[in-house]
Amino acid sequence: MKTYTKQQLTFEQFLEQCPEEGLYELVDGEIVEVRATRNHDDVANFLLFGFNDEIRGQNLNYVVNNTAVFKTITANGIEQGRKPDVSVIDKDKWRSNRSAYAALEEPIQLAVEVTSTNWEDDYIDKLDEYQGLGITEYWIVDYLAIGLREYLGNPKVPAVFVFLLDTEGKYQCTQFRGSERIVSRTFPELALTAEQILTA
């Protein structure tokens, strides 16, 4: 009896083979399509437009988009290709090679993941990978309250989690709910509450 093992793709192979249409990530060596509900997209777009307003209003040196893919490495050394729902990137890094595709290998400033059926990726895998890559700020927007009770409480309540890298390169988490104003290192003047984001 023969056993066949499917070869895991590298990040470079993922970029070469990734379909043009649709949104995809490289997960455990395989190309995985990322699909979202309209509600999910509404929440992500609300943040994308809000961040754009902050960047213009405060004249900040960032770009924001929802198409950037960047390389992370798992604890087991496997290359992943992650595409956050919203990415805030240093404008100089982004424009350093404008003819390149939207793939990056260095850390971005802020990654936002809006939870969906693969919520474990956001709370566990991506959290570890983004911390390892050195992404300064990482948000999990759990508008469906589908994460574990250890995060959301009992009963589970929708929340926005903001993870900030400390001086030792470890994430420190703050949870925001209801009318609490989000505190962001990237956007210190941001005037959004958790409720505005969670009900977008």
Side-chain angles (χ1 to χ4, degrees), residues 132-166:
L133 185 60
I135 294 176
T136 305
E137 189 167 347
Y138 172 45
W139 294 20
I140 298 175
V141 179
D142 196 341
Y143 73 102
L144 293 172
I146 59 175
L148 294 174
R149 284 191 172 92
E150 68 184 82
Y151 298 111
L152 296 165
N154 188 9
K156 297 197 282 188
V157 176
V160 177
F161 299 90
V162 175
F163 296 85
L164 298 173
L165 276 185
D166 64 17

XYZ file of all heavy atoms in Angstrom, residues 132-166:
281
model
N 4.756 36.785 16.758
C 6.082 36.352 16.320
C 6.655 37.228 15.219
O 7.869 37.475 15.174
N 5.798 37.706 14.334
C 6.246 38.581 13.248
C 6.576 39.979 13.754
O 7.372 40.688 13.162
C 5.167 38.647 12.159
C 5.495 39.424 10.884
C 6.708 38.841 10.174
C 4.291 39.443 9.956
N 5.963 40.366 14.869
C 6.222 41.695 15.434
C 5.226 42.750 14.991
O 5.570 43.936 14.928
N 3.992 42.342 14.684
C 2.958 43.318 14.343
C 2.603 44.075 15.618
O 2.186 43.485 16.614
C 1.728 42.632 13.726
C 2.129 42.022 12.373
C 0.572 43.612 13.571
C 1.037 41.231 11.701
N 2.780 45.387 15.593
C 2.648 46.225 16.775
C 1.290 46.125 17.439
O 1.183 46.098 18.667
C 2.920 47.705 16.391
O 4.199 47.768 15.759
C 2.906 48.607 17.594
N 0.232 46.063 16.621
C -1.125 46.103 17.154
C -2.001 45.124 16.372
O -1.957 45.095 15.143
C -1.668 47.526 17.038
C -2.966 47.783 17.725
C -3.292 49.279 17.834
O -2.416 50.128 17.600
O -4.452 49.579 18.150
N -2.774 44.327 17.100
C -3.638 43.318 16.497
C -5.000 43.391 17.170
O -5.102 43.348 18.382
C -3.016 41.934 16.676
C -3.895 40.771 16.276
C -4.629 40.788 15.095
C -3.972 39.626 17.070
C -5.428 39.713 14.734
C -4.757 38.540 16.706
C -5.480 38.589 15.538
O -6.269 37.534 15.178
N -6.060 43.524 16.349
C -7.426 43.571 16.863
C -8.167 42.305 16.451
O -8.075 41.854 15.306
C -8.199 44.744 16.283
C -7.753 46.115 16.659
C -6.544 46.511 17.158
C -8.536 47.303 16.526
N -6.527 47.856 17.355
C -7.738 48.373 16.977
C -9.820 47.561 16.079
C -8.188 49.689 16.989
C -10.281 48.867 16.081
C -9.471 49.914 16.539
N -8.945 41.764 17.383
C -9.930 40.737 17.068
C -11.295 41.356 17.352
O -11.562 41.788 18.476
C -9.753 39.468 17.923
C -8.394 38.822 17.656
C -10.886 38.478 17.636
C -8.092 37.629 18.560
N -12.132 41.416 16.329
C -13.478 41.966 16.473
C -14.440 40.786 16.461
O -14.731 40.215 15.418
C -13.798 42.966 15.340
C -15.217 43.509 15.507
C -12.778 44.099 15.314
N -14.896 40.399 17.654
C -15.789 39.250 17.782
C -17.231 39.746 17.923
O -17.817 39.726 19.002
C -15.371 38.384 18.970
C -16.006 36.999 18.922
O -17.019 36.836 18.214
O -15.499 36.093 19.600
N -17.788 40.165 16.795
C -19.140 40.733 16.795
C -20.220 39.669 17.003
O -21.342 39.983 17.388
C -19.392 41.521 15.506
C -19.586 40.676 14.272
C -20.853 40.450 13.754
C -18.495 40.107 13.615
C -21.036 39.670 12.623
C -18.664 39.325 12.489
C -19.934 39.109 11.995
O -20.100 38.334 10.883
N -19.874 38.410 16.758
C -20.826 37.311 16.943
C -20.705 36.648 18.313
O -21.504 35.782 18.644
C -20.605 36.238 15.865
C -20.924 36.634 14.431
C -20.468 35.552 13.468
C -22.412 36.894 14.279
N -19.687 37.039 19.087
C -19.412 36.396 20.386
C -19.304 34.884 20.226
O -19.945 34.113 20.939
C -20.465 36.781 21.419
N -18.460 34.449 19.275
C -18.315 33.013 19.027
C -17.023 32.436 19.594
O -16.812 31.238 19.531
C -18.445 32.670 17.520
C -17.388 33.394 16.690
C -19.824 32.961 17.015
C -17.390 33.003 15.224
N -16.165 33.282 20.152
C -14.943 32.799 20.776
C -15.238 32.069 22.077
O -16.394 31.921 22.484
N -14.202 31.614 22.738
C -14.352 30.879 23.991
C -14.821 31.780 25.126
O -14.568 32.982 25.135
C -13.009 30.247 24.376
C -12.478 29.157 23.448
C -11.084 28.737 23.886
C -13.406 27.961 23.430
N -15.458 31.163 26.118
C -15.910 31.919 27.288
C -14.750 32.540 28.044
O -14.906 33.568 28.693
C -16.712 31.007 28.215
C -18.106 30.740 27.712
C -18.973 30.064 28.771
N -20.335 29.986 28.321
C -20.850 28.954 27.666
N -20.094 27.915 27.382
N -22.102 28.960 27.263
N -13.570 31.917 27.985
C -12.421 32.494 28.678
C -12.067 33.880 28.126
O -11.486 34.694 28.830
C -11.210 31.578 28.618
C -10.604 31.409 27.240
C -9.455 30.422 27.217
O -9.727 29.202 27.156
O -8.305 30.870 27.251
N -12.441 34.153 26.896
C -12.235 35.473 26.304
C -13.458 36.370 26.512
O -13.329 37.542 26.841
C -11.972 35.369 24.797
C -10.731 34.592 24.441
C -10.827 33.355 23.817
C -9.462 35.095 24.724
C -9.690 32.638 23.480
C -8.323 34.384 24.389
C -8.443 33.156 23.775
O -7.325 32.454 23.446
N -14.642 35.813 26.265
C -15.863 36.612 26.183
C -16.705 36.631 27.449
O -17.641 37.405 27.554
C -16.722 36.106 25.020
C -16.078 36.263 23.647
C -16.803 35.419 22.619
C -16.051 37.710 23.231
N -16.377 35.781 28.414
C -17.156 35.730 29.645
C -18.341 34.790 29.514
O -18.559 34.164 28.483
N -19.111 34.683 30.607
C -20.280 33.820 30.633
C -21.433 34.594 31.259
O -21.386 34.893 32.441
C -19.980 32.554 31.438
C -21.089 31.539 31.336
O -22.015 31.690 30.549
N -20.992 30.490 32.137
N -22.463 34.992 30.519
C -22.683 34.656 29.112
C -21.705 35.402 28.197
O -21.153 36.429 28.566
C -24.120 35.117 28.862
C -24.331 36.229 29.830
C -23.534 35.851 31.053
N -21.529 34.842 27.004
C -20.612 35.453 26.044
C -21.210 36.746 25.500
O -22.390 36.786 25.146
C -20.300 34.483 24.908
C -19.577 33.235 25.388
C -18.900 32.481 24.279
C -19.832 31.650 23.468
N -19.116 30.791 22.512
N -20.372 37.791 25.459
C -20.805 39.115 25.005
C -19.845 39.579 23.908
O -18.623 39.452 24.058
C -20.786 40.124 26.185
C -21.136 41.517 25.711
C -21.727 39.682 27.291
N -20.361 40.105 22.782
C -19.483 40.606 21.729
C -18.466 41.609 22.283
O -18.769 42.377 23.190
C -20.443 41.281 20.751
C -21.750 40.590 20.972
C -21.783 40.288 22.448
N -17.261 41.579 21.715
C -16.198 42.450 22.211
C -15.164 42.712 21.127
O -15.061 41.979 20.144
C -15.523 41.809 23.432
N -14.403 43.782 21.339
C -13.234 44.097 20.521
C -12.023 43.902 21.419
O -11.945 44.484 22.506
C -13.279 45.547 19.989
C -12.009 45.869 19.212
C -14.517 45.778 19.132
N -11.085 43.088 20.969
C -9.854 42.838 21.708
C -8.712 43.550 21.002
O -8.509 43.359 19.802
C -9.556 41.334 21.774
C -10.622 40.547 22.481
C -11.698 40.023 21.787
C -10.556 40.352 23.849
C -12.686 39.302 22.429
C -11.535 39.635 24.511
C -12.610 39.103 23.800
N -7.971 44.356 21.741
C -6.821 45.060 21.180
C -5.568 44.513 21.857
O -5.416 44.603 23.083
C -6.931 46.586 21.385
C -5.658 47.280 20.897
C -8.156 47.135 20.654
N -4.697 43.923 21.054
C -3.435 43.366 21.535
C -2.312 44.312 21.121
O -2.188 44.651 19.936
C -3.179 41.989 20.915
C -4.192 40.948 21.293
C -5.378 40.819 20.588
C -3.955 40.105 22.367
C -6.313 39.856 20.928
C -4.891 39.136 22.722
C -6.069 39.007 21.999
N -1.505 44.727 22.090
C -0.372 45.612 21.827
C 0.913 44.922 22.237
O 0.992 44.334 23.328
C -0.522 46.922 22.604
C -1.733 47.787 22.272
C -1.834 48.953 23.233
C -1.656 48.277 20.832
N 1.944 45.017 21.399
C 3.241 44.435 21.738
C 3.869 45.231 22.868
O 3.913 46.466 22.829
C 4.182 44.474 20.536
C 4.110 43.360 19.507
C 5.209 43.545 18.466
C 4.190 41.974 20.124
N 4.391 44.527 23.877
C 5.115 45.208 24.944
C 6.605 45.243 24.607
O 7.013 44.805 23.520
C 4.828 44.569 26.311
C 5.313 43.120 26.421
O 6.150 42.675 25.593
O 4.865 42.419 27.353
